[in-house]
Amino acid sequence: SSRRRHTRCNRWSRGLGDVYKRQTLRGSALDKHSRLLLITIVGLLIGGCGGEKDSSELAAPLPTAATLGEQAVLTPAEYLATEPYSNASSARGERQAQYCKACHSLEQGGPHMIGPALFGFFGTEVGTSSGFEYSPVMKNADFVWTPEALHAWLGQPGRFLPGNRMTFAGIPDEDVRNDLIAYLLEATTAKTGN
């Protein structure tokens, strides 16, 4: 009888151990969810810090291909002599261009890849690079590749020209876009006599 009682006690204590383990696992899972929720809330609160900006500090929405309008077409050297490209960071632009090189060649005579070769594209009509199969949206678009157009395109390619095949999400930071454009103005243009 004492042996039977001892066996029942062992089963009972083992059962309690299992219940404790289940509660502990549930507790740690709850703790993980609570921590994740807390981190999310703190992140949202911190993201909202900095006070309200007045309307003069808010960036204007980027134009789209449809709202771009008339553009001044200059030479790359003329663009590079003006703000914001004259003070852009070429080194930072070159680092950013590594992402472009995953799909585009930049050098003279470079091949088309997933995207068209970009050498000499500034000042050209969209969708006209010989030998590249553009999407119907790009073929039917009507704008010239200027720094202004590229700036809007790089900010939000899908918004700038809905239906295009470029899977790149965009570069939200305006200064980084300016650095990249300044670099591309240099890297995709033939060097003149030195």
Side-chain angles (χ1 to χ4, degrees):
S1 126
S2 73
R3 183 172 204 179
R4 205 176 343 180
R5 201 174 342 136
H6 183 67
T7 304
R8 265 189 255 155
C9 287
N10 281 342
R11 279 191 218 144
W12 184 77
S13 66
R14 245 184 294 158
L16 279 179
D18 290 342
V19 168
Y20 176 75
K21 285 179 190 173
R22 281 194 300 266
Q23 290 297 336
T24 303
L25 289 175
R26 283 186 195 140
S28 65
L30 180 62
D31 289 343
K32 287 179 187 173
H33 291 301
S34 296
R35 280 182 271 172
L36 181 60
L37 181 61
L38 179 64
I39 290 169
T40 303
I41 290 170
V42 168
L44 289 171
L45 290 173
I46 290 173
C49 289
E52 292 185 26
K53 296 181 179 181
D54 67 21
S55 60
S56 67
E57 292 180 31
L58 298 175
L62 294 171
T64 65
T67 64
L68 196 55
E70 283 290 317
Q71 302 176 79
V73 179
L74 307 173
T75 67
E78 290 170 321
Y79 287 122
L80 286 167
T82 62
E83 285 293 325
Y85 312 111
S86 60
N87 289 324
S89 167
S90 183
R92 194 163 78 167
E94 185 174 11
R95 282 192 303 274
Q96 190 68 34
Q98 298 310 307
Y99 297 106
C100 304
K101 290 179 181 180
C103 298
H104 302 276
S105 64
L106 304 182
E107 68 278 351
Q108 188 168 11
H112 293 305
M113 298 167 60
I114 293 169
L118 297 182
F119 191 85
F121 81 106
F122 282 106
T124 65
E125 291 280 330
V126 64
T128 59
S129 183
S130 175
F132 186 78
E133 186 59 39
Y134 288 95
S135 68
V137 170
M138 291 295 280
K139 286 180 187 175
N140 295 323
D142 183 28
F143 65 90
V144 173
W145 283 118
T146 62
E148 180 185 2
L150 186 59
H151 189 270
W153 170 272
L154 290 173
Q156 297 176 315
R159 181 181 173 277
F160 181 79
L161 190 61
N164 76 73
R165 293 188 307 214
M166 189 161 150
T167 58
F168 182 65
I171 303 170
D173 187 308
E174 183 174 5
D175 291 334
V176 174
R177 287 195 308 268
N178 291 335
D179 293 340
L180 174 58
I181 291 168
Y183 174 76
L184 291 174
L185 282 163
E186 293 175 358
T188 63
T189 304
K191 308 294 182 254
T192 54
N194 274 349

